[in-house]
Amino acid sequence: AIAVRGDRLAAVTDQNQLVVYQLRDGEVKPSGPLKIPIGAGSVALGPDGSLVVAFSYGPDRHQLIKYQLTPEGPWKAFSFAPSYLKLWPALFPANAALVTGPAGGIWFPTRYVHGAVIRLDPKTDQMAVKVKGLPLPTAVNFNHKKQLMVAEDTPDRKSVV
């Protein structure tokens, strides 16, 4: 799992290490690594310097864990969205990238809720289905105008919502 935001790249290695690389003074400098549980499926870099990791299996299965970045490397801050853990297997972004939206929410597509795009607000622990009824959404992102872009699993279809 990898994520890029600005001059930072976060990666989860095959050895379950969370590493953040940052471009400083023309050089790529790693911070970390932090050993994390097995099962990391997706990662997102937030505008506040945090990382969010979605776990698809292992001890943190179906959880989103937020990690804070420090000069020494990432450290586990907390698990969020606990009020949705019973629903989470149906909502989980299985192998879909997590994307941090313009306002800091975590966005992801899911096939399990009738092709929905879900926004999770880590500050309020609130979840909202923002788009539904898409056949096979596979990825989301935001364009330069901060419009939501949704990729679907068909070669000729891309949606701007």
Short mmCIF file of all heavy atoms in Angstrom, two decimals, residues 88 90-92 106-110 113 116-120 127-131 140:
data_model
loop_
_atom_site.label_atom_id
_atom_site.label_comp_id
_atom_site.label_asym_id
_atom_site.label_seq_id
_atom_site.Cartn_x
_atom_site.Cartn_y
_atom_site.Cartn_z
N TRP A 88 -18.67 -2.27 9.40
CA TRP A 88 -17.45 -2.07 8.63
C TRP A 88 -17.16 -3.17 7.62
O TRP A 88 -16.72 -2.86 6.51
CB TRP A 88 -16.27 -1.88 9.58
CG TRP A 88 -15.10 -1.27 8.91
CD1 TRP A 88 -13.86 -1.82 8.79
CD2 TRP A 88 -15.03 0.00 8.25
NE1 TRP A 88 -13.03 -0.98 8.11
CE2 TRP A 88 -13.73 0.14 7.76
CE3 TRP A 88 -15.94 1.01 8.02
CZ2 TRP A 88 -13.31 1.26 7.06
CZ3 TRP A 88 -15.52 2.12 7.32
CH2 TRP A 88 -14.23 2.24 6.86
N ALA A 90 -19.06 -4.59 5.67
CA ALA A 90 -19.83 -4.26 4.47
C ALA A 90 -19.38 -2.96 3.83
O ALA A 90 -19.58 -2.75 2.64
CB ALA A 90 -21.31 -4.16 4.81
N LEU A 91 -18.77 -2.08 4.61
CA LEU A 91 -18.36 -0.77 4.10
C LEU A 91 -16.89 -0.72 3.73
O LEU A 91 -16.45 0.22 3.09
CB LEU A 91 -18.61 0.31 5.17
CG LEU A 91 -20.05 0.46 5.64
CD1 LEU A 91 -20.11 1.48 6.76
CD2 LEU A 91 -20.95 0.86 4.50
N PHE A 92 -16.14 -1.69 4.16
CA PHE A 92 -14.69 -1.63 4.05
C PHE A 92 -14.22 -1.46 2.61
O PHE A 92 -14.74 -2.11 1.71
CB PHE A 92 -14.06 -2.89 4.65
CG PHE A 92 -12.58 -2.77 4.80
CD1 PHE A 92 -12.06 -2.00 5.82
CD2 PHE A 92 -11.73 -3.37 3.92
CE1 PHE A 92 -10.69 -1.86 5.95
CE2 PHE A 92 -10.36 -3.24 4.05
CZ PHE A 92 -9.85 -2.49 5.07
N ILE A 106 -11.90 11.15 4.93
CA ILE A 106 -11.35 9.99 4.24
C ILE A 106 -12.43 9.48 3.29
O ILE A 106 -13.55 9.16 3.70
CB ILE A 106 -10.95 8.88 5.23
CG1 ILE A 106 -9.98 9.42 6.29
CG2 ILE A 106 -10.39 7.67 4.50
CD1 ILE A 106 -8.67 9.93 5.73
N TRP A 107 -12.10 9.38 2.01
CA TRP A 107 -13.04 8.96 0.95
C TRP A 107 -12.57 7.63 0.38
O TRP A 107 -11.37 7.41 0.23
CB TRP A 107 -13.05 9.99 -0.17
CG TRP A 107 -13.61 11.32 0.20
CD1 TRP A 107 -13.04 12.26 1.01
CD2 TRP A 107 -14.84 11.88 -0.24
NE1 TRP A 107 -13.84 13.37 1.09
CE2 TRP A 107 -14.96 13.16 0.32
CE3 TRP A 107 -15.87 11.43 -1.08
CZ2 TRP A 107 -16.06 13.98 0.09
CZ3 TRP A 107 -16.95 12.25 -1.30
CH2 TRP A 107 -17.05 13.51 -0.72
N PHE A 108 -13.53 6.77 0.04
CA PHE A 108 -13.19 5.51 -0.62
C PHE A 108 -14.42 4.93 -1.30
O PHE A 108 -15.55 5.18 -0.88
CB PHE A 108 -12.61 4.51 0.38
CG PHE A 108 -13.50 4.21 1.55
CD1 PHE A 108 -14.44 3.20 1.50
CD2 PHE A 108 -13.40 4.96 2.71
CE1 PHE A 108 -15.26 2.93 2.58
CE2 PHE A 108 -14.21 4.71 3.80
CZ PHE A 108 -15.15 3.68 3.73
N PRO A 109 -14.20 4.16 -2.37
CA PRO A 109 -15.32 3.47 -3.01
C PRO A 109 -15.53 2.11 -2.34
O PRO A 109 -14.60 1.53 -1.79
CB PRO A 109 -14.83 3.28 -4.44
CG PRO A 109 -13.36 3.14 -4.30
CD PRO A 109 -12.97 4.02 -3.14
N THR A 110 -16.74 1.63 -2.38
CA THR A 110 -17.03 0.28 -1.90
C THR A 110 -18.04 -0.35 -2.84
O THR A 110 -18.95 0.31 -3.32
CB THR A 110 -17.54 0.26 -0.45
OG1 THR A 110 -17.79 -1.09 -0.09
CG2 THR A 110 -18.78 1.10 -0.27
N VAL A 113 -21.97 -1.64 -0.88
CA VAL A 113 -23.16 -0.83 -0.60
C VAL A 113 -23.64 -0.27 -1.94
O VAL A 113 -23.64 0.91 -2.18
CB VAL A 113 -22.86 0.30 0.41
CG1 VAL A 113 -24.12 1.06 0.75
CG2 VAL A 113 -22.24 -0.27 1.67
N ALA A 116 -21.11 2.38 -3.86
CA ALA A 116 -21.14 3.68 -3.21
C ALA A 116 -19.75 4.28 -3.05
O ALA A 116 -18.74 3.58 -3.08
CB ALA A 116 -21.79 3.56 -1.84
N VAL A 117 -19.72 5.59 -2.88
CA VAL A 117 -18.52 6.31 -2.46
C VAL A 117 -18.84 6.85 -1.07
O VAL A 117 -19.86 7.52 -0.87
CB VAL A 117 -18.16 7.46 -3.42
CG1 VAL A 117 -16.99 8.27 -2.87
CG2 VAL A 117 -17.82 6.90 -4.79
N ILE A 118 -17.97 6.53 -0.13
CA ILE A 118 -18.21 6.86 1.27
C ILE A 118 -17.19 7.88 1.75
O ILE A 118 -16.01 7.81 1.39
CB ILE A 118 -18.16 5.59 2.13
CG1 ILE A 118 -19.32 4.68 1.71
CG2 ILE A 118 -18.21 5.91 3.61
CD1 ILE A 118 -19.34 3.34 2.37
N ARG A 119 -17.67 8.83 2.56
CA ARG A 119 -16.80 9.81 3.22
C ARG A 119 -16.89 9.58 4.71
O ARG A 119 -17.97 9.51 5.28
CB ARG A 119 -17.25 11.24 2.92
CG ARG A 119 -16.37 12.27 3.60
CD ARG A 119 -16.96 13.68 3.42
NE ARG A 119 -16.17 14.65 4.10
CZ ARG A 119 -16.32 15.00 5.38
NH1 ARG A 119 -17.25 14.44 6.11
NH2 ARG A 119 -15.55 15.89 5.93
N LEU A 120 -15.73 9.45 5.34
CA LEU A 120 -15.66 9.26 6.78
C LEU A 120 -14.94 10.46 7.37
O LEU A 120 -13.84 10.82 6.93
CB LEU A 120 -14.90 7.98 7.09
CG LEU A 120 -14.72 7.62 8.54
CD1 LEU A 120 -16.06 7.38 9.23
CD2 LEU A 120 -13.87 6.37 8.65
N MET A 127 -20.01 8.95 9.19
CA MET A 127 -19.86 8.39 7.87
C MET A 127 -21.04 8.83 7.02
O MET A 127 -22.15 8.94 7.52
CB MET A 127 -19.85 6.88 7.97
CG MET A 127 -19.73 6.19 6.64
SD MET A 127 -20.31 4.50 6.72
CE MET A 127 -22.03 4.72 7.10
N ALA A 128 -20.79 9.09 5.74
CA ALA A 128 -21.87 9.47 4.84
C ALA A 128 -21.64 8.83 3.49
O ALA A 128 -20.51 8.83 2.98
CB ALA A 128 -21.93 10.99 4.68
N VAL A 129 -22.70 8.28 2.92
CA VAL A 129 -22.64 7.79 1.54
C VAL A 129 -22.83 9.01 0.67
O VAL A 129 -23.86 9.66 0.69
CB VAL A 129 -23.74 6.74 1.28
CG1 VAL A 129 -23.74 6.33 -0.19
CG2 VAL A 129 -23.53 5.53 2.17
N LYS A 130 -21.81 9.37 -0.10
CA LYS A 130 -21.85 10.59 -0.92
C LYS A 130 -22.34 10.33 -2.33
O LYS A 130 -22.90 11.21 -2.96
CB LYS A 130 -20.46 11.24 -0.96
CG LYS A 130 -19.91 11.61 0.41
CD LYS A 130 -20.86 12.47 1.22
CE LYS A 130 -20.76 13.91 0.87
NZ LYS A 130 -21.58 14.79 1.69
N VAL A 131 -22.10 9.13 -2.85
CA VAL A 131 -22.56 8.74 -4.18
C VAL A 131 -22.98 7.28 -4.07
O VAL A 131 -22.32 6.50 -3.38
CB VAL A 131 -21.42 8.86 -5.23
CG1 VAL A 131 -21.89 8.43 -6.59
CG2 VAL A 131 -20.85 10.25 -5.27
N VAL A 140 -11.22 6.64 -6.15
CA VAL A 140 -11.68 8.02 -6.11
C VAL A 140 -10.48 8.93 -5.96
O VAL A 140 -9.42 8.52 -5.49
CB VAL A 140 -12.68 8.29 -4.94
CG1 VAL A 140 -13.93 7.45 -5.09
CG2 VAL A 140 -12.04 8.06 -3.59
#
